[in-house]
Each structure stands twice: as structure tokens, then as C-alpha cells.
Amino acid sequence: MEHVVLEGQMARVNGVALHAEGASLTSDELNQRAYSELLRQAAIQKGLLDAGDVPSPDGIHSEPASAAIEALLDQKVTVQEPSEEACRRQYAAHQAMYTTGEKILVRHILFAVTPGVDLSALRKQAEATLLNVRCFDSKSTEDAFAEAANALSNCPSGAEGGQLGWLTHADCAPEFAKELFGNKEIGVLPRLVHSRFGLHVVEVMDRAPGIVQAFESVHGAVAMALQQKAFVTALRQYLSLLAADSCLEGLDLKRAETSLVQ
């Protein structure tokens, strides 16, 4: 996402500025600061934080403010422990998440997101490369994937045709593993894979199946995943309610009219 220099305009929550003049922020960063400031102000209203707490122009809260926000969320965003039936449904629907020992043979072409990079141009180049390599396969006498990796990849593996070797879940960043292990596809994946490192064109060359763990052995992990999902949903609802009851300037936060689901 491109950074936007905020010149001549200030984003505010109930009169509190979220950044210094001329700051360079993405819309996501600006929205994150807005939601964080909404929570800080709510903590003051609930008597959890001294009214004299001073907001920071860089979006970083004081230690008392951070502690007060945690206490506020403990009060306002609560979720019930999921039932065993719900846990079993989650387990059955996401077998890949509870499989151990699975490995995949992978190669990739990395288009790294670095400071100052033109993200629009980077994405276009990555998508054009994806389209090109999908016209070939790994058995082609003209290995377009290896050639593109060698010429374009920002990963050292590019010199080896993009080869990453056999990988397990633990070898990958979580968001990368989710895309690669979340299905059973073989070949060049039909869409770009996003990770903290950038955009990846990925080919899964082979898969070695793992062993599905018994429900009883992963029940705790399944329940935790469901609770986390429920917490995120409840938190979004609470933040939307706070936004709906606030004066927002220079922001376009989604407002909600429904009550927080406890």
C-alpha cells in the first residue's frame, strides 16, 4: 500500500490529531492510529486512565495508556469458550492445520517490498511474471520459471532458479505457510502469495503428506483458534461502535449500528 503525505490536512479523533503535519502514512496506518486513539479516549471515559494522559503524535501510547486499554478490552470485549461441537467442526474443516510432518518442494520468485518501491509497478511486474510462467511447466525444455527467478527474484534462491527445497510449516513465515499448506495444489499457484517480504510467484513441485493429529491431542489449539476469531469479531464491533459515537476528521472508518456481541 502506498504512503500518502498528509499535507494541508489533519486527521483527528474528537479533536485529537493523529499525526504531525506533513506526515507520511498509509491509510491502514492512519486507521490503526484512529482505532488506537478511540480506545485511549474510551479508557479515560471509563476512569481507567488519567484524563491528563497526553497522546503522542507518533501513535505510540504511554505505558499507563497501554495498560488502561488492556483493562478496557478485558471489560468490553469478552468471548465465551467454544463448545466441543464447534471445535469438532473447526477441526474437520481445517485438517491441514492439524497435520504434522507435511512437506512441500517449492521454488519461488520474490518481488520484495522495500522502502520507496513503487508498489503498483511492482505488482504489475509480479502479475505479468505469474502469467508468463503459468504458460510453462517444470518439465518444459525452456524453463521459464527458472529463467524468471534468475533474472527477477530478490531472493538469493534466484541464482538457483528459485529453488527453496523441501519445506515444512516451521520453515515458513505463517502467512506464507497458510497459502502453501492450505490446499493440495501442485504446480504454479494461480495467484500471487503475499508475505511480510513481498509478493511471491510460487510453484509447488511436490508434496509429501503428513499425519493428521487426533482431535483429542489438538483440542486446546482448536479452541484457542476459535476464541481468537471470536475476539477479533467482537473487537471490530466494539471499535465500530466507538467510531460511530465519535467526531472523526480526515478519516473514513466503517461505522456500525449494531451492539457489541458479548
Side-chain angles (χ1 to χ4, degrees):
M1 182 174 292
E2 295 183 7
H3 282 67
V4 177
V5 178
L6 303 167
E7 295 180 347
Q9 60 176 323
M10 293 292 290
R12 295 182 174 86
V13 171
N14 296 320
V16 175
L18 300 176
H19 56 85
E21 287 192 29
S24 176
L25 299 169
T26 67
S27 58
D28 283 348
E29 289 171 337
L30 188 60
N31 289 347
Q32 179 61 40
R33 288 193 184 187
Y35 285 128
S36 186
E37 177 58 24
L38 283 168
L39 290 171
R40 191 190 70 87
Q41 293 181 18
I44 292 175
Q45 293 173 0
K46 296 297 181 182
L48 300 171
L49 179 64
D50 189 279
D53 182 77
V54 179
S56 171
D58 60 9
I60 300 176
H61 291 313
S62 65
E63 289 188 14
S66 295
I69 289 173
E70 287 187 21
L72 175 71
L73 295 180
D74 284 342
Q75 291 181 9
K76 295 294 184 179
V77 185
T78 58
V79 294
Q80 296 181 345
E81 185 173 343
S83 66
E84 179 163 333
E85 180 183 357
C87 288
R88 287 190 178 277
R89 286 198 303 268
Q90 169 77 3
Y91 171 78
H94 300 88
Q95 289 282 296
M97 294 176 59
Y98 309 109
T99 299
T100 60
E102 183 180 6
K103 297 189 297 182
I104 52 176
L105 183 60
V106 178
R107 60 180 179 174
H108 79 148
I109 304 168
L110 171 64
F111 295 87
V113 174
T114 55
V117 70
D118 184 333
L119 292 179
S120 178
L122 187 72
R123 175 179 289 279
K124 288 179 180 178
Q125 184 183 30
E127 289 176 342
T129 302
L130 173 61
L131 181 61
N132 181 52
V133 300
R134 288 195 72 196
C135 295
F136 300 86
D137 61 33
S138 60
K139 297 180 179 62
S140 174
T141 55
E142 181 184 355
D143 194 342
F145 197 106
E147 291 179 2
N150 188 269
L152 302 172
S153 184
N154 299 128
C155 177
S157 66
E160 303 297 329
Q163 292 285 353
L164 294 176
W166 285 96
L167 302 178
T168 66
H169 265 275
D171 296 323
C172 307
E175 64 276 16
F176 195 68
K178 181 179 180 181
E179 289 290 335
L180 272 60
F181 289 91
N183 58 67
K184 301 303 179 184
E185 292 179 86
I186 294 286
V188 179
L189 300 189
R191 60 186 177 278
L192 296 174
V193 175
H194 297 243
S195 82
R196 65 196 67 183
F197 305 109
L199 306 174
H200 307 253
V201 175
V202 176
E203 181 178 12
V204 177
M205 306 178 75
D206 199 1
R207 292 181 181 271
I211 301 173
V212 179
Q213 299 177 79
F215 172 75
E216 290 72 21
S217 67
V218 295
H219 180 272
V222 175
M224 186 177 297
L226 286 176
Q227 283 185 301
Q228 178 62 23
K229 183 177 180 180
F231 176 84
V232 169
T233 298
L235 176 59
R236 286 175 177 168
Q237 291 174 326
Y238 181 53
L239 290 172
S240 294
L241 284 175
L242 292 179
D245 197 34
S246 300
C247 176
L248 306 176
E249 302 173 55
L251 293 162
D252 186 24
L253 299 182
K254 183 178 180 181
R255 295 169 181 265
E257 298 178 357
T258 56
S259 299
L260 174 66
V261 176
Q262 295 289 349

